[in-house]
Amino acid sequence: MFEVRVEAGFSAAHFLRDYNGKCENLHGHNYKVYAHVRGSSLNEGGMLMDFSKIKSVLREVCKGLDHTNLNDMDFFDQNPSAERIAVYIYTRIVESLPELSAQRAKEGTYLYAVDVFETETSRARYIADILV
């Protein structure tokens, strides 16, 4: 099994409803995002996937989140936790690159996970739901 990882980032504000703590207040983060792609075989060029292809899509998704109030986005239902942000980014990548969907994992390369770091020490991860 091979895995490649690309990284991007964005800055955004959010607050968490139903939290009962300081994160209920509007605040911001400089998010770091990793996208992990896995597969069992390499292409004729000896690569699992061209870094630039997945990196370009990840950067475009993050660009859409940059300098926003994440609570304004319907997807998060007023609770843009790091976990929900990871699912959002995963979903947008697969929409742009359907060949990476978890349903195609048996065929080869797929988007395995998305990590969202709110800080250097706090990360949420969404892992593809693969029934193989």
Side-chain angles (χ1 to χ4, degrees):
M1 182 65 67
F2 298 95
E3 181 174 312
V4 297
R5 185 196 82 190
V6 295
E7 177 182 334
F10 65 97
S11 299
H14 76 144
F15 59 90
L16 299 174
R17 294 183 328 171
D18 308 315
Y19 180 75
N20 297 324
K22 66 182 184 175
C23 292
E24 281 186 318
N25 299 316
L26 182 65
H27 64 284
H29 296 283
N30 294 316
Y31 292 94
K32 186 187 307 181
V33 180
Y34 294 160
H36 302 261
V37 175
R38 284 187 174 179
S40 57
S41 61
L42 304 178
N43 66 20
E44 55 280 347
M47 295 181 289
L48 179 64
M49 181 175 199
D50 186 343
F51 286 122
S52 64
K53 186 174 183 179
I54 184 69
K55 193 184 312 182
S56 174
V57 171
L58 178 60
R59 286 180 176 167
E60 196 61 33
V61 172
C62 288
K63 183 178 173 183
L65 299 172
D66 194 42
H67 285 79
T68 65
N69 179 346
L70 298 173
N71 291 75
D72 292 340
M73 297 179 66
D74 290 338
F75 184 92
F76 300 121
D77 191 29
Q78 284 295 307
N79 258 332
S81 63
E83 293 86 346
R84 286 182 170 168
I85 296 167
V87 171
Y88 175 85
I89 293 170
Y90 180 94
T91 301
R92 295 298 174 259
I93 291 172
V94 170
E95 286 174 355
S96 294
L97 296 171
E99 66 270 23
L100 293 182
S101 70
Q103 292 77 18
R104 298 186 61 186
K106 283 187 176 181
E107 300 170 27
T109 305
Y110 63 99
L111 182 59
Y112 168 70
V114 170
D115 295 331
V116 173
F117 288 82
E118 285 190 347
T119 69
E120 289 293 318
T121 60
S122 300
R123 174 203 64 151
R125 172 177 272 189
Y126 177 76
I127 298 175
D129 184 17
I130 302 171
L131 303 172
V132 290

